């Protein structure tokens, strides 16, 4: 392990001003944990963007190293679960907001937060999937557990050009579902969304249009919704009998008002998706699916943007402004293992 190593550190001064810079840290600067990982890649997520600004509301304490995702090789371990040389993934468990995360050449973590890198994924592919792809897969799994099949009808994916949306389209299409993608960037990104597997692309306004009355036509067998917001109530009115909606985000807002009618007239299920504290048994099962039958090949084949830590400020600002398309990985280490 290096005597000093680079990390992207966020600090808050006495005047509550937040600054972010690449700094040199030492081993003793890392928080407690039973596994030390040499980080190869991290990724860029909306929460990482929030962590970088004063009013983001996600960082629990300062200083903080953001990066809610990481993949790397175990350097040191006093855990019985992992040994030096093992390749591991960390997503969730408040890494990057309450515990130093992936924007650092080394991370010290708790072994119960880690998942072995599936054989079917490279380190870069794992971070191209990251929390966004993991959340998308949890959403798809929730629809399947609710009894939604490809034969049931069309699936709506909101926020389709974002990380969760784009990965959900790739996974659903691979499983044989007919996907309708909703986006605020239809003119610019329709060809991309069709390449991911969407059979139909509609505008955000079409997907969110107000529905007169308590219920509307039965249009969607299910919805993967990483945007939520007030329009969620309108989308619920269009879900068919026995359908389900998997909600995982709040880029459209954190409030919505609905009635009980979608639930008592059509038996619709509204399912919350939590990727942070997802139990390890399910976490490992989903990651193994992502490395196997659910691997989002179309999303990975379309190319994943790779940046360095020096490019983080502009990239994090862009994702907060809604300019991100697809997935961006951060190359953290200058020395990467052979895949």
């Amino acid at each position: 392990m290096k005597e000093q190593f680079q990390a992207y550190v966020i600090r808050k001064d006495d005047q509550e001003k937040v600054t972010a810079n690449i700094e040199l840290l030492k081993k003793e600067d890392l928080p407690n944990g039973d596994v030390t990982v040499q980080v190869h890649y991290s990724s860029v997520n909306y929460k990482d963007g929030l962590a970088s600004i004063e009013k983001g509301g996600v960082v629990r304490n300062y200083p903080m190293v953001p990066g809610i995702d990481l993949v790397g090789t175990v350097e040191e371990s006093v855990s019985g679960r992992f040994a030096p040389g093992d390749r591991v993934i960390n997503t969730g468990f408040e890494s990057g907001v309450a515990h130093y995360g992936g924007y650092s050449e080394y991370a010290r973590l708790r072994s119960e937060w880690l998942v072995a890198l599936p054989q079917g994924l490279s380190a870069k592919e794992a971070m191209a999937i990251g929390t966004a792809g993991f959340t998308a897969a949890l959403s798809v799994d929730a629809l399947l557990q609710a009894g939604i099949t490809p034969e049931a009808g069309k699936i709506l994916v909101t926020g389709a050009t974002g990380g969760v949306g784009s990965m959900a389209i790739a996974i659903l299409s691979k499983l044989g579902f007919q996907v309708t993608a909703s986006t605020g960037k239809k003119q610019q990104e329709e060809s991309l969304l069709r390449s991911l597997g969407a059979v139909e692309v509609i505008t955000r306004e079409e997907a969110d249009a107000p529905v007169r009355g308590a219920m509307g036509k039965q249009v969607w067998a299910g919805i993967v919704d990483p945007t939520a917001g007030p329009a969620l109530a309108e989308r619920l009115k269009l879900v068919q009998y026995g359908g389900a909606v998997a909600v995982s985000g709040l880029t459209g807002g954190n409030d919505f008002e609905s009635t009980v009618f979608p639930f008592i007239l059509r038996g619709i299920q509204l399912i919350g998706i939590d990727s942070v504290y997802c139990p390890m048994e399910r976490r490992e099962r989903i990651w193994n699916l992502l490395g196997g039958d659910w691997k989002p090949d179309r999303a990975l084949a379309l190319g994943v943007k790779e940046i360095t830590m020096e490019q983080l400020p502009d990239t994090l600002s862009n994702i907060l402004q809604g300019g991100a398309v697809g997935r961006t990985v951060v190359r953290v280490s200058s020395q990467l293992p052979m895949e």
Side-chain angles (χ1 to χ4, degrees):
M1 183 171 177
K2 294 180 181 179
E3 190 171 310
Q4 291 186 314
F5 52 90
Q6 288 191 328
Y8 188 74
V9 183
I10 299 174
R11 298 185 182 274
K12 180 182 281 189
D13 63 21
D14 294 339
Q15 284 73 46
E16 300 293 302
K17 181 180 179 181
V18 170
T19 58
N21 295 286
I22 295 177
E23 300 181 12
L24 288 176
L25 299 185
K26 297 180 180 179
K27 182 178 181 179
E28 52 266 31
D29 294 322
L30 295 175
N32 293 331
D34 56 356
V35 176
T36 302
V37 177
Q38 182 185 7
V39 180
H40 302 314
Y41 289 100
S42 185
S43 68
V44 177
N45 300 278
Y46 191 76
K47 186 179 282 188
D48 299 316
L50 292 175
S52 68
I53 60 175
E54 292 180 24
K55 297 182 179 180
V58 296
V59 174
R60 302 295 180 84
N61 45 71
Y62 293 89
M64 180 54 58
V65 174
I68 65 172
D69 299 340
L70 67 84
V71 64
T73 302
V74 174
E75 182 87 2
E76 300 174 357
S77 176
V78 292
S79 157
R81 291 191 67 215
F82 298 101
D86 289 345
R87 302 177 74 188
V88 294
I89 299 169
N90 174 227
T91 62
F93 297 104
E94 298 194 352
S95 292
V97 294
H99 188 100
Y100 282 14
Y103 297 166
S104 172
E105 291 185 271
Y106 291 90
R108 187 180 291 132
L109 304 158
R110 292 170 58 175
S111 57
E112 58 264 34
W113 299 346
L114 302 175
V115 173
L117 178 68
Q119 290 186 351
L121 293 176
S122 69
K124 186 174 180 179
E125 286 174 335
M127 286 299 95
I129 294 170
T131 285
F134 179 61
T135 303
L138 286 173
S139 301
V140 173
D141 187 56
L143 296 187
L144 293 174
Q145 295 295 326
I148 311 303
T149 64
E151 294 73 29
K154 297 189 295 185
I155 305 296
L156 174 67
V157 176
T158 69
T161 59
V164 176
S166 59
M167 287 289 171
I169 293 169
I171 296 168
L172 286 164
S173 65
K174 188 170 186 177
L175 295 179
F177 285 92
Q178 288 190 322
V179 180
T180 296
S182 160
T183 176
K185 307 168 185 174
K186 180 181 177 182
Q187 187 172 357
Q188 307 98 305
E189 305 298 345
E190 180 167 2
S191 61
L192 169 66
L193 294 171
R194 291 188 180 277
S195 297
L196 287 168
V199 298
E200 181 183 24
V201 180
I202 62 176
T203 66
R204 180 188 301 150
E205 290 74 21
E206 290 175 282
D208 297 354
V211 178
R212 294 188 64 180
M215 299 297 292
K217 295 179 179 180
Q218 299 189 44
V219 179
W220 314 117
I223 302 177
V224 173
D225 191 357
T227 60
L232 173 57
E234 304 307 316
R235 293 191 283 269
L236 279 169
K237 295 178 183 179
L238 300 177
V239 178
Q240 67 190 37
Y241 190 91
V245 180
V247 181
S248 62
L250 44 71
T251 56
N254 57 6
D255 293 323
F256 82 101
E257 294 183 7
S258 182
T259 69
V260 298
F261 292 124
F263 312 109
I264 66 172
L265 295 182
R266 291 188 185 163
I268 294 165
Q269 298 182 55
L270 181 60
I271 307 167
I273 303 300
D274 168 47
S275 63
V276 177
Y277 297 111
C278 175
M280 184 53 66
E281 182 179 356
R282 188 181 186 198
R283 186 178 294 269
E284 291 178 332
R285 177 174 66 82
I286 293 296
W287 270 110
N288 284 324
L289 284 169
L290 285 166
D293 292 343
W294 290 18
K295 187 173 181 178
D297 302 292
R298 290 188 177 188
L300 297 174
L302 286 172
V304 176
K305 184 177 180 182
E306 180 178 323
I307 65 168
T308 64
M309 285 202 287
E310 287 78 8
Q311 295 170 286
L312 275 170
D314 289 342
T315 306
L316 293 172
S317 175
N318 184 54
I319 198 170
L320 289 175
Q321 294 170 21
V325 175
R327 293 288 288 155
T328 298
V329 300
V330 186
R331 179 172 175 150
V332 178
S333 176
S334 58
Q335 296 180 332
L336 299 176
M338 295 291 292
E339 296 290 358

